[in-house]
Amino acid sequence: MNELATFARPSEPLDLPKMPEARRARLRTLLSKGRCLKLLEAHSPLSALIVESATHQGSEGEIAQFDGFWSSSLTDSTLLGRPDIEIVDVARRIRAVEDIFDVTEKPLVFDGDTGGHPEHFRLHVRMMEKAGISAVIIEDKTGLKKNSLFGNDVLQHQADIQEFSDKIAAGKAAQDTPDFMIIARIESLILDRGLDDALSRANAYVSAGADGIMIHSRKKDPAEILAFARQFRAQHPAIPLVCVPTSFNETHFSELEAAGFNVVIYANHMLRSAYQAMSKVSTDILRYGRTKEVEDSCLSVNEILNLIPGTR
Ligand code: SPV
Ligand code: MG
């Protein structure tokens, strides 16, 4: 039995989900403790159970765990066989999050893409709060949204600063609870607009009421991200700062924490790893004409029968 093969929790059985308000407030509570948080992408209840129970004991005996989940537009879309262009509607994605919430306790941050029309964003904010989502991150792009990691390889447009600030303000005005957070994601580095543009947008979005800032980059070298963090921190010591180190994957969590980041999101690794394993197993069954050769890539039958408490 491997270390992920049981999801029993000490506090309560799996069929007793947390109430939305308790979970929603948990992100702010964790942020108030002053340490940098680690979130990992979850695209299904099972992937979320794995994220929630993952533990690593370091050489000094310290225990590392994830603090919560990232609901990614890229992996939610990919899971449905759809492109990451805001085609999967937010209501459907929130319902999928509710399935995750039925079996887990940790807080979740929702990737809200561009936020859509301000009129839609206001309603989506309420739906997210009601579900128990702790925060939404919206990115300052406009028009047909493409994934940021393409950068300028595809046509994508950054929103006008005032237009995006108005959307943040509309979301904040619609919010019904003090716990929920609206985090503004800046795409200036993604679109090669430079550090000064990113910093002036950060100031505008904070003035518009953003509860946090996410700065994104598609460079392998973290220099621009770290420079942003230093300068942002000097101006805004207490505003939560978020990054997604998919491209600068050699940069260690501790370096991001030391630079002033409050949340680090590992944005797509659960789906990417699952896809790789499923792909190999499916072709190997065809290759070998039987399943003996794929058993090492799979949970044993005994393990899957005992995975979810209550199955027996
Ligand atoms: C996502 O996970 O969908 C994100 C992060 O938006 S990224 O794919 O890096 O744009
Ligand atoms: Mg996304």
Side-chain angles (χ1 to χ4, degrees):
M1 180 84 65
N2 70 42
E3 65 189 30
L4 298 176
T6 175
F7 297 126
R9 287 174 292 172
S11 55
E12 57 193 33
L14 281 169
D15 55 358
L16 292 179
K18 275 270 173 264
M19 289 302 114
E21 42 287 344
R23 186 194 305 255
R24 193 174 52 231
R26 194 168 277 189
L27 186 71
R28 278 200 192 267
T29 305
L30 286 171
L31 282 168
S32 72
K33 297 191 191 306
R35 67 178 174 81
C36 185
L37 308 180
K38 287 187 187 96
L39 307 185
L40 180 55
E41 170 261 332
H43 52 269
S44 67
L46 183 59
S47 66
L49 282 166
I50 294 172
V51 173
E52 183 150 289
S53 60
T55 303
H56 175 72
Q57 184 162 9
S59 52
E60 315 276 284
E62 74 283 9
I63 303 288
Q65 290 186 312
F66 292 102
D67 298 288
F69 312 113
W70 167 241
S71 171
S72 152
S73 71
L74 173 61
T75 67
D76 279 3
S77 306
T78 305
L79 187 71
L80 294 171
R82 300 289 186 174
D84 181 18
I85 55 170
E86 296 189 280
I87 183 74
V88 181
D89 82 84
V90 178
R92 179 175 184 163
R93 288 186 53 219
I94 293 174
R95 281 200 298 277
V97 166
E98 285 171 336
D99 288 340
I100 288 176
F101 284 180
D102 280 346
V103 293
T104 60
E105 296 183 353
K106 291 188 177 179
L108 181 140
V109 176
F110 191 87
D111 175 0
D113 286 318
T114 67
H117 296 291
E119 293 81 355
H120 294 182
F121 184 51
R122 298 173 66 250
L123 294 172
H124 288 149
V125 163
R126 284 295 184 94
M127 288 162 68
M128 289 182 233
E129 286 184 281
K130 185 162 163 277
I133 290 170
S134 300
V136 63
I137 299 185
I138 54 170
E139 61 196 84
D140 59 357
K141 293 215 289 263
T142 191
L144 180 62
K145 190 220 82 154
K146 295 285 175 75
N147 186 275
S148 302
L149 299 175
F150 284 124
N152 284 321
D153 295 348
V154 296
L155 192 62
Q156 43 181 335
H157 304 285
Q158 201 167 16
D160 170 75
I161 296 184
Q162 190 57 51
E163 175 196 325
F164 194 70
S165 299
D166 290 348
K167 197 183 294 186
I168 294 165
K172 288 308 291 175
Q175 186 175 324
D176 197 34
T177 68
D179 312 318
F180 190 72
M181 299 173 74
I182 297 179
I183 297 173
R185 162 172 165 176
I186 296 170
E187 296 283 289
S188 305
L189 304 181
I190 291 289
L191 299 172
D192 298 325
R193 297 265 182 98
L195 196 56
D196 287 347
D197 186 76
L199 286 162
S200 66
R201 283 173 178 270
N203 291 336
Y205 301 160
V206 169
S207 301
D211 298 295
I213 293 291
M214 173 183 153
I215 181 69
H216 206 11
S217 163
R218 60 192 163 85
K219 299 233 166 82
K220 191 156 186 61
D221 182 343
E224 62 179 14
I225 277 282
L226 299 178
F228 178 93
R230 262 192 308 277
Q231 296 189 44
F232 178 80
R233 265 291 154 258
Q235 290 176 51
H236 303 284
I239 300 280
L241 186 59
V242 182
C243 70
V244 173
T246 305
S247 307
F248 40 106
N249 61 6
E250 288 173 12
T251 309
H252 198 273
F253 176 81
S254 55
E255 203 179 333
L256 298 169
E257 181 170 32
F261 283 99
N262 306 93
V263 182
V264 174
I265 299 177
Y266 302 99
N268 44 50
H269 301 79
M270 295 301 276
L271 190 67
R272 283 168 59 203
S273 56
Y275 179 86
Q276 187 127 317
M278 289 191 289
S279 209
K280 179 177 182 325
V281 165
S282 63
T283 50
D284 279 355
I285 292 173
L286 294 174
R287 175 175 297 120
Y288 295 108
R290 62 181 191 179
T291 57
K292 176 175 181 298
E293 286 77 9
V294 303
E295 288 297 342
D296 283 351
S297 307
C298 300
L299 281 182
S300 71
V301 170
N302 194 38
E303 282 170 334
I304 194 163
L305 287 176
N306 289 295
L307 192 58
I308 306 295
T311 302
R312 182 173 286 277

